[in-house]
């Protein structure tokens, strides 16, 4: 599933090819993805210029004068810039043609992605109530300490709650907790300030590193089997249940506290 680094990599990859270009047409090969595609996408975009390409959480926003097209890549989506005459394949659902003779193509085999419309001056419901970006200054140890205070919920739940901080998926939460030496089920309100500081640093470092690694070409982050090409060689815990900890050799455990399985080292993390 594309996570925040893949979405940011996509943004950086497409921006130079679409910024400042006028949209000459929109082809919708199906009426819906996860949700129906609103009529403004087909009716309002043509003729307008793309003034900015932004990211909020895992949403990409293509800004034009009257609003923004919101793209979410879901489980399997990707955006590519291609020559206008590149033949569309089975899962190529949307083409946004540009005056450069190129086309911005949305591909999504599983169709959990979305293409939505946000009128100028409004905030789409999906973007309301989101917490700070993990790489923004607002996400610091002060913020996390204030948010965690008095909470008995496992710290991992807080990290994956989009109202608290956006875009920290299962993989990055598990890896950051390992690097900070914090047990994923530890009650958030019972973690000391210094450890929270380490956790914030770990989250920021891991995400920034993943973005740097993903920033070469648009296709590099999709491996041939369709799975995102995470920095697998460098994962300490994610996907490694039953294998030895790379730091201490203890067998890594998997536990399921509600949402999704979490792998951790019972010795390094407390
Ligand atoms: Zn260990």
């Amino acid at each position: 599933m594309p996570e925040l680094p893949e979405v940011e990599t996509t943004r950086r990859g497409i921006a130079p090819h679409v910024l400042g270009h006028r949209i000459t047409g929109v082809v919708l090969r199906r009426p819906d993805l996860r949700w129906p595609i609103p009529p403004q996408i087909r009716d309002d975009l043509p003729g307008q210029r793309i003034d900015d390409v932004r990211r909020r959480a895992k949403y990409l926003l293509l800004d034009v004068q009257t609003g923004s097209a919101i793209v979410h890549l879901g489980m399997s989506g990707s955006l590519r810039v291609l020559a206008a005459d590149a033949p569309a394949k089975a899962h190529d659902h949307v083409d946004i043609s540009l005056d450069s003779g190129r086309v911005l193509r949305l591909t999504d085999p599983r169709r959990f992605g979305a293409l939505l419309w946000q009128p100028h001056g409004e905030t789409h419901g999906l973007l309301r109530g989101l917490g700070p970006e993990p790489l923004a200054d607002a996400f610091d140890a002060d913020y996390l300490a204030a948010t965690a205070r008095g909470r008995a919920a496992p710290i991992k739940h807080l990290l994956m709650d989009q109202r608290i901080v956006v875009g920290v998926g299962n993989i990055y939460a598990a890896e950051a907790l390992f690097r900070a030496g914090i047990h994923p089920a530890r009650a958030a309100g019972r973690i000391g300030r210094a450890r929270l500081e380490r956790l914030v640093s770990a989250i920021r470092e891991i995400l920034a590193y993943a973005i740097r690694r993903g920033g070469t070409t648009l296709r590099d982050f999709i491996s041939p089997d369709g799975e995102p090409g995470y920095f697998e060689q460098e994962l300490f815990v994610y996907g490694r249940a039953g294998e030895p900890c790379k730091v201490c050799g203890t067998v890594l455990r998997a536990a399921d506290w509600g949402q999704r399985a979490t792998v951790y080292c019972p010795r390094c993390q407390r």
Side-chain angles (χ1 to χ4, degrees):
M1 168 173 4
E3 296 287 351
L4 186 146
E6 288 76 27
V7 178
E8 177 62 19
T9 297
T10 298
R11 188 191 72 77
R12 295 180 185 187
I14 65 171
H17 304 289
V18 304
L19 269 182
H21 285 288
R22 209 163 281 281
I23 295 167
T24 55
V26 175
V27 176
L28 305 179
R29 296 195 182 83
R30 48 176 304 125
D32 61 337
L33 293 168
R34 181 169 178 180
W35 296 293
I37 297 171
Q40 290 93 333
I41 295 291
R42 192 183 47 213
D43 299 341
D44 291 10
L45 285 181
Q48 298 206 67
R49 196 184 60 209
I50 298 178
D51 292 323
D52 205 356
V53 183
R54 296 179 291 135
R55 180 186 59 75
R56 178 72 174 109
K58 285 165 56 173
Y59 298 96
L60 286 171
L61 291 93
L62 304 174
D63 291 346
V64 297
Q65 198 181 1
T66 62
S68 307
I70 302 176
V71 179
H72 192 279
L73 298 175
M75 305 284 286
S76 57
S78 63
L79 274 175
R80 286 167 302 154
V81 178
L82 301 165
D85 58 358
K89 299 190 183 128
H91 304 294
D92 295 341
H93 303 309
V94 180
D95 279 356
I96 297 177
S97 302
L98 304 168
D99 62 5
S100 58
R102 286 180 166 161
V103 62
L104 179 64
R105 179 165 288 172
L106 176 60
T107 305
D108 189 357
R110 297 180 66 183
R111 299 203 311 272
F112 282 107
L115 178 55
L116 299 165
W117 176 251
Q118 172 178 277
H120 182 71
E122 293 182 23
T123 302
H124 194 281
L126 290 171
L127 302 182
R128 280 183 217 139
L130 293 177
E133 291 286 328
L135 293 170
D137 291 342
F139 182 67
D140 60 10
D142 284 340
Y143 170 80
L144 191 57
T147 308
R149 192 167 298 135
R151 292 219 199 194
I155 182 65
K156 180 154 182 278
H157 285 195
L158 263 71
L159 295 184
M160 294 184 65
D161 184 337
Q162 301 299 297
R163 294 165 299 182
I164 290 171
V165 58
V166 299
V168 182
N170 202 29
I171 180 172
Y172 299 108
E175 291 297 311
L177 286 164
F178 177 83
R179 283 166 217 221
I182 297 172
H183 194 292
R186 167 78 50 198
R190 304 198 55 173
I191 301 170
R193 164 71 195 221
R195 303 181 76 205
L196 288 178
E197 214 154 290
R198 278 205 296 279
L199 180 57
V200 166
S201 299
I203 291 168
R204 295 171 68 105
E205 280 165 21
I206 290 169
L207 289 172
Y209 180 76
I211 291 169
R212 280 202 304 278
R213 286 288 301 267
T216 46
T217 74
L218 269 183
R219 260 181 243 185
D220 278 354
F221 64 86
I222 303 288
S223 62
D225 58 5
E227 291 297 311
Y230 294 118
F231 43 114
E232 277 160 35
Q233 301 304 314
E234 295 142 79
L235 294 175
F236 282 97
V237 288
Y238 183 84
R240 298 193 66 242
E243 294 177 38
C245 173
K246 290 179 181 177
V247 172
C248 75
T250 304
V251 173
L252 298 178
R253 283 189 200 158
D256 207 334
W257 298 285
Q259 310 152 325
R260 300 173 70 179
T262 298
V263 183
Y264 66 100
C265 174
R267 186 161 173 200
C268 292
Q269 293 175 259
R270 55 195 174 76

